[in-house]
Amino acid sequence: MSLIDQYNRTIKYLRLSVTDRCDLRCFYCMPEGFSDYEEPEEWLSFDEIERVIASFTRLGVTSVRLTGGEPLVRKDLPILAKRLAALPGLKDLSLSTNAMQLAKHASSLHNAGISRINVSLDTVDPIKFKKITQGKLDKVIEGLLAAKAVGLHPIKINMVIMKGVNDDDVEAMVDFCQAHEFTLRFIETMPMGDTGRDAVDYYIDLNKIEQRLEKKYELIPAVMAGAGPARYVQVVGTDLKIGFITPISQHFCDTCNRVRLSATGILYMCLGDEYSYELRPLLRNNISDDDLDQVIRDAINLKPLKHEFNEKPEKIVRFMSMTGG
Ligand code: SAM
Ligand code: SF4
């Protein structure tokens, strides 16, 4: 059974937001002081999430990433992870986190069946980290080291690169990731919501960063397991792989294999589009498994050919944390 959209792309990957809340305030993602969150009773319950993910796996989805907001803010996340990991057909369960609370949860998440994690980290300078996120860098480092110690692998560090904010931290991040055997991925800023649009003022084409790195390191093309859109290089003489995620300078929509489910059960077909389908009312009206499968199949046909971040940067009003970035 496969989920194939009208442009012949097979959907194998779902990003599941378990909450829109977060314990950080990265300025390019969530506005300072923001608290206009969904109420917990609006979130899908663990039973409802399990039903939806079971449906997606029946339809051929094999990878699920838990995200948010900050997924570790959702109570009992390892219990949900364990239930999802047990679903037949789910081969890969991963997590995106800011790592603020990872130290206390790393072991139970690993035991629950999370195999690999992505951690947001835009700088290893504690003062800059505080400016960007309002949080404390040492909590993140503690979380990363705990994750490594329990055997989560690979650990990928996601760094949103912003001109004049952290672009001069790239080499320090390379050294940090090499020393700790993490994979480093650079991300271009996207105009998601007003915060993301303001951050586009700091946008850098990642080709420029790659050219800069090539002056210091010998880079060769590399391959990295995972269901994502990054293009990888390896630093010769080391095990370090560096990924470039370039939704703006070089979009990868023709190979997109994913959809996103918000914490309240809205299925978004594309990060850069408003096409969506509300699953929660159907779940709360006891839709049958067969009908749920059919609804998802029909919804996938709403997936647009490509995002329009460049053509219509004003289009997306929701922040990244609302969609499940
Ligand atoms: N809280 C978790 C974290 O930070 O990893 C998971 C959710 S967060 C929304 C997922 C990713 O989206 C992070 O790597 C973050 O840097 C990225 N992100 C958020 N807003 C963005 C924007 N406007 N442009 C590019 N990436 C963004
Ligand atoms: Fe929170 Fe992640 Fe958004 Fe930062 S990027 S504010 S950690 S959801």
Side-chain angles (χ1 to χ4, degrees):
M1 197 77 85
S2 296
L3 262 184
I4 301 176
D5 76 357
Q6 58 174 324
Y7 302 106
N8 218 19
R9 294 169 297 194
T10 304
I11 309 305
K12 301 285 260 180
Y13 182 40
L14 180 99
R15 295 179 74 111
L16 168 68
S17 172
V18 292
T19 175
D20 59 339
R21 296 178 185 226
C22 188
D23 45 1
L24 287 183
R25 285 291 178 280
C26 305
F27 75 85
Y28 50 77
C29 179
M30 212 181 274
E32 204 178 332
F34 180 80
S35 62
D36 190 14
Y37 295 121
E38 300 288 351
E39 291 306 317
E41 55 271 22
E42 310 290 330
W43 300 343
L44 295 189
S45 66
F46 285 2
D47 286 344
E48 289 166 339
I49 291 175
E50 192 178 357
R51 276 205 73 198
V52 178
I53 303 300
S55 178
F56 272 101
T57 56
R58 282 195 295 279
L59 294 167
V61 165
T62 54
S63 289
V64 169
R65 174 172 294 278
L66 305 177
T67 179
E70 173 46 42
L72 296 181
V73 165
R74 178 102 186 227
K75 196 165 166 272
D76 294 332
L77 189 72
I79 293 174
L80 176 67
K82 195 167 185 183
R83 288 173 66 171
L84 299 183
L87 289 171
L90 190 70
K91 296 191 185 129
D92 169 37
L93 183 63
S94 57
L95 171 78
S96 283
T97 175
N98 61 26
M100 292 293 285
Q101 303 188 41
L102 189 55
K104 63 173 181 277
H105 294 302
S107 176
S108 50
L109 289 166
H110 188 47
N111 292 338
I114 301 254
S115 49
R116 56 198 186 92
I117 60 167
N118 290 358
V119 173
S120 281
L121 181 60
D122 300 326
T123 177
V124 281
D125 174 332
I127 295 168
K128 269 195 202 173
F129 183 84
K130 173 94 184 156
K131 266 195 190 153
I132 296 172
T133 69
Q134 306 292 322
K136 284 195 175 159
L137 178 66
D138 52 3
K139 297 298 289 173
V140 178
I141 305 290
E142 198 190 328
L144 278 167
L145 297 180
K148 188 176 163 186
V150 300
L152 284 161
H153 184 80
I155 296 175
K156 294 179 185 163
I157 304 292
N158 284 339
M159 175 182 184
V160 176
I161 302 203
M162 294 161 283
K163 189 167 42 184
V165 176
N166 65 346
D167 56 332
D168 53 358
D169 294 11
V170 165
E171 286 78 4
M173 289 292 284
V174 167
D175 292 346
F176 173 77
C177 289
Q178 192 183 324
H180 292 286
E181 300 171 347
F182 302 143
T183 297
L184 178 58
R185 306 181 337 149
F186 302 133
I187 304 179
E188 290 176 344
T189 50
M190 284 174 256
M192 298 282 301
D194 289 341
T195 46
R197 262 185 294 283
D198 290 349
V200 166
D201 291 349
Y202 307 105
Y203 168 78
I204 307 185
D205 178 338
L206 289 184
N207 283 312
K208 290 199 179 124
I209 299 293
E210 189 170 6
Q211 284 160 12
R212 192 169 105 202
L213 288 176
E214 276 167 345
K215 291 190 181 135
K216 184 160 178 194
Y217 309 98
E218 190 182 345
L219 306 176
I220 52 169
V223 179
M224 183 84 200
R231 177 179 60 78
Y232 283 94
V233 296
Q234 180 157 356
V235 179
V236 172
T238 76
D239 291 330
L240 178 67
K241 287 184 179 157
I242 302 178
F244 296 85
I245 302 180
T246 55
I248 306 299
S249 64
Q250 243 177 329
H251 77 77
F252 31 78
C253 302
D254 49 344
T255 57
C256 184
N257 65 352
R258 64 195 53 198
V259 289
R260 293 173 159 84
L261 185 66
S262 79
T264 57
I266 303 174
L267 187 59
Y268 287 105
M269 308 308 149
C270 173
L271 202 52
D273 211 294
E274 296 290 359
Y275 285 103
S276 64
Y277 202 104
E278 284 206 45
L279 297 181
R280 192 184 60 199
L282 308 177
L283 295 164
R284 295 195 178 170
N285 278 311
N286 298 322
I287 188 172
S288 71
D289 284 352
D290 284 348
D291 287 349
L292 182 59
D293 292 358
Q294 192 54 49
V295 161
I296 290 174
R297 241 191 255 286
D298 294 343
I300 294 301
N301 275 326
L302 296 172
K303 191 168 166 65
L305 180 59
K306 59 192 267 305
H307 69 66
E308 294 183 305
F309 283 142
N310 293 327
E311 300 83 342
K312 296 182 185 165
E314 72 292 346
K315 188 167 163 180
I316 303 300
V317 291
R318 59 184 192 272
F319 315 125
M320 185 74 102
S321 58
M322 291 172 169
T323 311

